Amino acid sequence: MTSAVYRNSMQAIGKLVPEKLQPLWKHPAGPQTIFFWAPAFKWGLVLAGLGDLQRPADKISISQSSALGLTGAIWTRYSLAITPKNWSLFSVNLFVAFTAIYQVARAIKYQSEQNKQAVPN
């Protein structure tokens, strides 16, 4: 029943979509699929990562940022291995990976500087 309601809803909405946007609407990774919505909502992780750039380096979790960066890198690769190629998923995961890797670099640099200061001359 749910799939029938969904299909009927998408057909009704599809009639309202302007002709110029019909190719996007009907695309295999378009707004009628999870391939569109999952990356759209995942941009929230990118925004959170960009917000964390203001976080002091001593408050960054290297393990958490590493896991997020690795996940972003894996999904970046996966988005090009699936059919249809999902460029939206590719771009969001690339940004997730880059922001997380940058945070890891900041934290490691901070820890290295702290270790140098702790070593007595």
Side-chain angles (χ1 to χ4, degrees), residues 31-93:
Q32 298 182 67
T33 69
I34 191 66
F35 297 114
F36 176 84
W37 293 107
F41 284 104
K42 198 166 186 178
W43 280 104
L45 285 175
V46 174
L47 294 175
L50 292 174
D52 280 350
L53 295 178
Q54 302 302 316
R55 178 181 291 212
D58 65 323
K59 303 290 185 203
I60 297 170
S61 168
I62 292 177
S63 60
Q64 180 179 358
S65 294
S66 296
L68 192 57
L70 184 60
T71 300
I74 290 168
W75 280 98
T76 297
R77 170 64 182 107
Y78 174 76
S79 66
L80 298 178
I82 60 174
T83 302
K85 286 193 181 355
N86 193 332
W87 294 103
S88 178
L89 187 63
F90 172 83
S91 62
V92 72
N93 281 298

Side-chain angles (χ1 to χ4, degrees), residues 2 5 15-17 22 28 37 39 56 61 74 85 89 97 106 109 114:
T2 305
V5 171
K15 293 176 184 175
L16 302 173
V17 174
Q22 284 295 324
W37 293 107
S61 168
I74 290 168
K85 286 193 181 355
L89 187 63
R106 282 183 60 219
K109 180 181 176 193
Q114 293 302 307

Side-chain angles (χ1 to χ4, degrees), residues 94-111:
L94 189 64
F95 274 88
V96 166
F98 282 158
T99 55
I101 291 166
Y102 179 73
Q103 290 291 68
V104 169
R106 282 183 60 219
I108 291 172
K109 180 181 176 193
Y110 172 80
Q111 287 182 358

